[in-house]
Amino acid sequence: MAEPKPRILQGNRDMVWSLVILMAICAAFAGIAGLCTFSPSGPQPGPIPEFDAEASLRQDARSLDFAIRSPEVPDGWTSNSGRVESFAGTSSSHVGWVTGERSFVELVQTDAPLEDLRRVGGGPRPSMSMIPVAGREWTVFTGDDARPVWAVDLGDARVAVTGSAATSDLEALAAAVQDAEPLPRER
């Protein structure tokens, strides 16, 4: 006569019930800790972190060895990020804004050669074209899987504009930065 199978090998019903109980316990802990929310209408945009772009650019003007400009951005844009980082063997100033449509634009200022700006934010950008912005020719670097980078040489610095925003927003920032006077280099 054959021996009966051990209980663990008799079916999957016990395993399924064990998993259901464990998932209920995990859900209860996540709910108590406030680590998850339920939103039947989908994700809601959160608040935009606030950042003082003007103060950041003034500090960059004092500490970096090239001209820094602080553009007058359109109403409804909120500055949310800024940093100084190493770029192409030199330093660069980066400031970002969230537009009224909740897209992102970034201003990069550096003394690196214009050609190096095609690598801003990573991604290969093998294509290059020219676009006029308020009387000045901007170089636009593009690639298949990379955001476009608009760049111009202003003589005392190179400037790039990039981001996920619409072309009209990139053009607005480009026009604003090329019209801005360099900030004083007080030390």
Side-chain angles (χ1 to χ4, degrees), residues 87 112-119 125-126 128 139 141 151 158:
F87 176 76
L114 187 69
E115 181 64 27
D116 288 344
L117 292 175
R118 74 171 58 237
R119 294 190 324 243
R125 294 181 182 89
M128 183 178 87
T139 305
F141 300 109
R158 264 59 66 213

Side-chain angles (χ1 to χ4, degrees), residues 143-160:
D144 290 337
D145 293 329
R147 293 178 175 151
V149 173
W150 296 29
V152 69
D153 187 339
L154 296 176
D156 51 8
R158 264 59 66 213
V159 175

Side-chain angles (χ1 to χ4, degrees), residues 57-58 60-70 91-93 107-112 152-160 177 180-185 187:
L57 291 169
R58 270 190 254 117
D60 293 349
R62 286 191 293 272
S63 64
L64 297 174
D65 294 329
F66 52 89
I68 296 289
R69 290 164 172 78
S70 180
S91 296
S92 60
S93 168
L107 171 64
V108 179
Q109 301 180 72
T110 184
D111 60 350
V152 69
D153 187 339
L154 296 176
D156 51 8
R158 264 59 66 213
V159 175
V177 74
E181 291 295 321
L183 295 171
R185 297 194 48 172
R187 296 241 180 201

